[in-house]
Amino acid sequence: MTHKEEAEERSYEHWATVVSNKAIEIFGKKQVVATGWAPSGYYHIGNFKEAVTCRAIHRELISLGADSYYLLNIDDVDPFEKIPAFFKEYGKLLKPYLGHAISEVPDPLGCHDSYAEHFIADALAIMNDFDVNPDPILTSKLYEEGKYYRYAKLFLEKREEMYELTEEITGSKMEDFFLIQCPKCNNLSAPKIIDYKFIEDKIKVEILCQKERRGCGQKSSLILGETIWKIKWRLDWAARQDFLGVTVESSGKDHGVSGGSIDSSLAIHERIFGKSKLPMLITHGFLTFGGKKLSGSTGSGLPVSKFPSILDPSIFLYKIYRTNLRTDTDFKVEMDVPGVASDYDLAEELYYKERDIEHKKTKEKTVKAYELALMAEPFEEKPIRMNYGQLVTFLQVYLFDEEQVIETLKAKEIIPFNISNRDLQLLKDRIQRAKFWIENYASNNFKFSVVKNPKCDIVKLLDLPVLKELYMALQNLPENYQGDSITQYLYEIAKEKEIKPGNFFRSIYQIVLAQKSGPRAGTLIDVLGK
Ligand SMILES: [Zn+2]
Ligand SMILES: [Zn+2]
């Protein structure tokens, strides 16, 4: 753990509260929270983590009485540098556009006006699924509106300071400040500026479209703004934060390294723009799936758009909000889903005061994370929840028959007979998600099918005395025992009879499932009936 992570762990306040209070202390009530994304590939988990993190801060600012505006900067002037693996078959069509602005590259699938737009619609829909609704602002629009022009002039006027600053921070001098589209071949990343001069309030540039960078070799003379242009990334970032009045922006930890883009941006705010109040450029930990940082351009792994088919989006939000800001989270989709859902249910009990815990810090952070994860007004009364993991067992025993599962849950008084329509709907939603998870993602440890007629040879393999004790134990199983209390009961008996509990449980799995392991024995017996 780093110092910052340790301090966060010690804090009694949720990170969203800490960041928001500090932002209000610096900037007062008017707040602008920003997140950014370049639509050069599918919206991925890293982008998602950033937007979701900023959503929490935006919400917390509002709940602390600030007037917060949440924006998403969509950088559609990014040059198209690489044909992603998932568009490999369109290589011929896309190759001539390498180096062009993604807003000018065609959509190979033909369903949108440009390559960039193909990904934008999808990203906004995903964000909306998670109640992340920043105001989308296209970088191309900001350039068209001339928002960046005075920064271009400023950077050129202060070029010596800029050289010094970039060299001091990054270790290498930034040669060119801009990307300028070649008027002949439209390439954005190939031209190099060979000369410039100020003509009244405009900048006249001489550019050479470099052949070695896929350019056409043409020299051109033009007024900056006659073709697409862009201030290079770190400078563009600072300029945008300045004219949009950004007060808080979160980025992945990699941006926060010494000499990274955050250092550069802050130095530009301070030394080039001459500001004393610097935006809060915070960093968040990585979210990975099975150890992999998913990349939008390779398109590997579980797409963010699939999350809501596995878990209620609020549960995902809760998982992120209950984790420290700077701590990395790895989510193993094949294993972690029932546990994450169960943590959420416990937080809900705490929020509705159906449960209490002594540890004040844990309690406050849990309740705040639950509140922030809500996607609508909270219900008046706590909804009835059916444990996700138990549901996974019920569904497999009853061969995914939703009606039969619900009837059984009622008969076993796990859910009330007069369950409200709202809670019944929540249960049905969870059933659909659990089913989708088992069928598509769950590890084999969670999957089983009940054996109709146990094979004699399996029974023969079992230890007869163990089997006898098991039979007796089940005969004497008290009626009111359910789930884990059954597991506990079997455990006690095994100990009493000096049988290894593992052998006891293995016998159950072998008889019922014809496999060596399975779901919790108590739950299984409970679901099957004694
Ligand atoms: Zn499309
Ligand atoms: Zn050219």
Side-chain angles (χ1 to χ4, degrees):
M1 253 197 259
T2 63
H3 286 307
K4 277 184 174 173
E5 283 177 55
E6 276 170 24
E8 210 189 321
E9 184 59 41
R10 279 196 304 273
S11 167
Y12 273 66
E13 282 181 323
H14 191 274
W15 50 261
T17 315
V18 175
V19 171
S20 299
N21 275 327
K22 184 145 184 239
I24 292 172
E25 193 186 305
I26 302 172
F27 297 102
K29 296 256 158 171
K30 198 125 185 62
Q31 296 286 336
V32 178
V33 181
T35 181
W37 168 63
S40 50
Y42 287 102
Y43 193 70
H44 66 73
I45 185 136
N47 312 131
F48 173 76
K49 173 82 195 274
E50 179 175 312
V52 160
T53 301
C54 291
R55 171 191 178 273
I57 296 164
H58 168 63
R59 278 178 72 114
E60 187 63 359
L61 279 166
I62 291 171
S63 81
L64 291 169
D67 171 15
S68 176
Y69 168 62
Y70 182 19
L71 68 90
L72 164 70
N73 181 255
I74 302 175
D75 187 357
D76 58 343
V77 194
D78 212 31
F80 179 51
E81 297 293 10
K82 209 177 138 211
I83 297 168
F86 53 79
F87 278 161
K88 221 170 152 189
E89 56 186 300
Y90 303 101
K92 239 194 176 140
L93 168 78
L94 290 171
K95 206 169 167 222
Y97 293 95
L98 284 169
H100 292 221
I102 49 176
S103 58
E104 297 219 321
V105 177
D107 175 1
L109 302 181
C111 42
H112 296 87
D113 285 344
S114 73
Y115 186 90
E117 276 181 43
H118 178 78
F119 299 109
I120 293 172
D122 175 61
L124 294 179
I126 293 168
M127 279 186 248
N128 188 52
D129 282 346
F130 286 86
D131 188 43
V132 180
N133 295 301
D135 192 12
I137 297 178
L138 293 174
T139 298
S140 58
K141 267 260 156 56
L142 296 173
Y143 275 94
E144 274 166 36
E145 289 167 1
K147 292 276 196 326
Y148 281 98
Y149 217 89
R150 69 186 176 93
Y151 295 91
K153 284 196 267 184
L154 184 66
F155 290 140
L156 287 174
E157 279 161 10
K158 299 198 173 185
R159 65 187 174 281
E160 292 305 328
E161 281 170 80
M162 285 298 295
Y163 291 149
E164 206 177 290
L165 181 151
T166 51
E167 185 157 20
E168 183 189 313
I169 289 173
T170 66
S172 65
K173 191 167 126 185
M174 192 170 202
E175 293 287 345
D176 268 351
F177 300 152
F178 315 119
L179 297 173
I180 302 172
Q181 187 184 38
C182 167
K184 189 178 170 215
C185 73
N186 293 332
N187 195 307
L188 178 65
S189 61
K192 179 183 166 60
I193 302 172
I194 39 183
D195 197 15
Y196 73 89
K197 63 179 169 219
F198 291 103
I199 296 180
E200 289 169 16
D201 60 342
K202 297 285 176 201
I203 303 164
K204 191 173 184 199
V205 288
E206 305 284 330
I207 55 170
L208 168 67
C209 190
Q210 304 169 93
K211 275 195 163 154
E212 61 274 27
R213 302 212 55 195
R214 299 191 207 103
C216 64
Q218 169 100 358
K219 264 190 191 172
S220 313
S221 166
L222 67 155
I223 297 288
L224 187 68
E226 282 178 349
T227 60
I228 291 178
W229 68 287
K230 191 185 188 200
I231 298 179
K232 282 192 177 170
W233 151 240
R234 294 179 187 217
L235 281 50
D236 171 290
W237 201 34
R240 165 165 65 79
Q241 284 162 348
D242 191 51
F243 68 72
L244 292 173
V246 173
T247 56
V248 185
E249 182 156 0
S250 189
S251 352
K253 282 202 284 200
D254 47 337
H255 291 274
V257 295
S258 174
S261 47
I262 290 183
D263 280 356
S264 304
S265 177
L266 291 176
I268 293 168
H269 280 287
E270 197 177 1
R271 286 152 60 177
I272 306 295
F273 304 159
K275 286 155 81 170
S276 56
K277 285 183 191 174
L278 306 182
M280 286 179 68
L281 305 184
I282 58 167
T283 56
H284 52 259
F286 296 120
L287 176 61
T288 49
F289 270 143
K292 275 185 228 132
K293 266 192 261 171
L294 300 187
S295 152
S297 53
T298 58
S300 59
L302 177 74
V304 188
S305 57
K306 283 278 181 273
F307 294 2
S309 3
I310 300 168
L311 278 173
D312 184 319
S314 275
I315 300 181
F316 262 112
L317 292 178
Y318 173 76
K319 164 86 178 157
I320 293 171
Y321 295 161
R322 186 60 191 89
T323 307
N324 289 340
L325 178 63
R326 291 177 188 83
T327 303
D328 295 337
T329 317
D330 186 42
F331 185 82
K332 291 180 190 64
V333 68
E334 71 282 6
M335 299 290 292
D336 294 345
V337 170
V340 168
S342 169
D343 288 347
Y344 178 83
D345 293 352
L346 292 174
E348 191 164 65
E349 287 172 18
L350 211 56
Y351 176 83
Y352 283 95
K353 299 191 169 65
E354 285 194 2
R355 189 169 70 93
D356 200 11
I357 45 173
E358 284 293 319
H359 201 255
K360 191 165 173 272
K361 189 169 76 178
T362 305
K363 184 173 157 180
E364 285 185 8
K365 285 184 174 174
T366 303
V367 169
K368 176 56 79 179
Y370 178 85
E371 266 174 29
L372 289 169
L374 284 169
M375 297 187 14
E377 286 298 310
F379 296 124
E380 292 257 323
E381 275 173 47
K382 191 189 99 60
I384 289 161
R385 298 287 186 186
M386 172 64 201
N387 180 279
Y388 196 103
Q390 259 180 300
L391 208 48
V392 163
T393 305
F394 271 88
L395 282 169
Q396 294 181 92
V397 168
Y398 292 103
L399 306 172
F400 300 101
D401 184 333
E402 181 182 281
E403 216 160 288
Q404 209 186 345
V405 167
I406 292 171
E407 286 317 307
T408 311
L409 292 176
K410 283 181 180 173
K412 288 180 178 296
E413 293 175 13
I414 296 175
I415 58 169
F417 261 99
N418 59 352
I419 185 169
S420 70
N421 285 338
R422 180 203 73 189
D423 288 353
L424 188 62
Q425 192 52 52
L426 289 173
L427 173 61
K428 286 181 175 177
D429 291 346
R430 192 171 270 195
I431 287 176
Q432 286 314 311
R433 289 179 167 125
K435 179 171 184 272
F436 189 79
W437 179 68
I438 300 163
E439 288 173 344
N440 295 283
Y441 299 104
S443 114
N444 284 335
N445 296 343
F446 290 95
K447 290 194 244 181
F448 63 85
S449 51
V450 175
V451 180
K452 290 254 163 62
N453 303 301
K455 287 193 197 104
C456 289
D457 49 343
I458 288 180
V459 178
K460 262 187 240 158
L461 281 174
L462 297 171
D463 190 345
L464 206 59
V466 173
L467 215 55
K468 216 167 129 189
E469 292 299 346
L470 181 62
Y471 178 75
M472 289 303 290
L474 291 177
Q475 285 287 307
N476 297 324
L477 178 66
E479 274 300 317
N480 58 339
Y481 278 25
Q482 284 187 341
D484 283 347
S485 56
I486 300 179
T487 312
Q488 188 58 30
Y489 164 83
L490 292 174
Y491 196 84
E492 296 292 335
I493 297 222
K495 253 177 35 189
E496 194 186 305
K497 306 285 177 191
E498 292 178 349
I499 297 169
K500 275 192 192 151
N503 288 345
F504 226 29
F505 295 131
R506 205 167 305 130
S507 310
I508 299 172
Y509 298 134
Q510 283 186 321
I511 296 168
V512 182
L513 313 175
Q515 58 190 43
K516 280 185 185 154
S517 59
R520 286 194 190 175
T523 310
L524 188 62
I525 290 169
D526 200 9
V527 178
L528 288 166
K530 295 131 204 172

